[in-house]
Amino acid sequence: YTFSVTVATRPQITVGDYKKAIKDVYGKKNAEPKPSDDAKAEPVHEHIHLTPNEIIEAVTSVTTAEISDLLIEEEVNKMLSRLVNQVQAIKLDMDAYLKSQNKTSESLKAEYAQIAQKNITGELAMLEVIKQEGVEATDAEVEQTLNAMGDAKLKEQYSKDEYQKAYIKAIIAKNKAIWKLSSPEADDKKEKDD
């Protein structure tokens, strides 16, 4: 007998100068004047923070990654599964849904493949940024998050599952990295102090 096995390896990823990319987005966003309440007054320039999505998009914009088709296909299948569940929840069949969206199953899969590529690249890029920034989540932060859960059964379930705890830890680290990168002024101040 001959068996064939296909496995996905960890994608090769290169993250460029993400700090510059974030500063560029911040500069563009901060330069946009906000209208004031008084129509005759000059526009107001407020201090603006970047959203998590803006930070991730900036990081992704300077990232190159070779994502295997197998990983993309897996992510597309998850997305399609969620969509099917949502469509069925509103008592619609997929053909009717696709027709209402002016899409075919092939065009939907192609759209989802692009989204999957972007999402996977963003997640891998943020993992690299977390490593480069030296951001870590502690077990105490995971416990604090678990203790903040309102549902006691869910808290107990997550507390016993090491995979779920690792997932929570990864989310905390990602959020800490995004928070750290969300204010370029803090980075500028640190560079000036050094």
Side-chain angles (χ1 to χ4, degrees):
Y1 293 96
T2 303
F3 291 98
S4 173
V5 178
T6 305
V7 294
T9 57
R10 183 172 176 94
Q12 294 285 28
I13 186 160
T14 305
V15 179
D17 190 352
Y18 60 90
K19 289 183 180 182
K20 181 182 180 321
I22 291 169
K23 283 182 183 179
D24 290 347
V25 172
Y26 181 81
K28 288 176 189 171
K29 189 172 180 179
N30 209 25
E32 296 172 3
K34 303 294 175 223
S36 67
D37 292 336
D38 183 0
K40 295 178 185 172
E42 290 292 316
V44 177
H45 289 273
E46 297 176 0
H47 179 74
I48 297 171
H49 291 281
L50 298 181
T51 66
N53 282 342
E54 289 170 325
I55 290 170
I56 294 169
E57 286 177 19
V59 171
T60 304
S61 74
V62 295
T63 300
T64 56
E66 293 181 26
I67 311 295
S68 75
D69 292 341
L70 191 61
L71 283 176
I72 292 172
E73 186 178 321
E74 171 101 11
E75 185 66 20
V76 167
N77 288 339
K78 287 178 188 176
M79 294 165 74
L80 287 171
S81 178
R82 282 191 298 267
L83 177 64
V84 167
N85 289 339
Q86 292 169 350
V87 168
Q88 288 175 345
I90 58 171
K91 308 283 190 243
L92 213 70
D93 73 333
M94 278 304 292
D95 290 333
Y97 171 79
L98 290 171
K99 187 175 181 180
S100 73
Q101 299 296 311
N102 293 323
K103 295 181 182 181
T104 64
S105 60
E106 291 78 24
S107 68
L108 181 65
K109 284 181 184 178
E111 179 183 326
Y112 277 11
Q114 289 179 335
I115 294 168
Q117 172 84 30
K118 182 179 174 184
N119 289 348
I120 294 168
T121 301
E123 286 299 318
L124 293 172
M126 287 307 298
L127 286 174
E128 185 62 28
V129 167
I130 289 166
K131 189 166 57 173
Q132 289 182 25
E133 291 292 319
V135 174
E136 293 183 13
T138 65
D139 290 337
E141 290 170 317
V142 172
E143 284 303 314
Q144 184 179 13
T145 301
L146 289 170
N147 289 334
M149 289 183 160
D151 186 336
K153 288 181 184 178
L154 189 61
K155 175 185 171 185
E156 183 180 343
Q157 176 187 344
Y158 276 41
S159 295
K160 293 178 181 178
D161 187 340
E162 291 302 315
Y163 176 77
Q164 291 296 339
K165 287 167 88 173
Y167 180 69
I168 292 168
K169 196 173 212 176
I171 290 172
I172 292 169
K174 181 178 172 182
N175 287 340
K176 286 171 77 172
I178 288 170
W179 181 254
K180 182 176 181 180
L181 297 171
S182 69
S183 181
E185 290 85 17
D187 199 41
D188 288 342
K189 185 179 184 298
K190 183 180 173 190
E191 287 174 10
K192 287 177 188 173
D193 291 345
D194 291 342

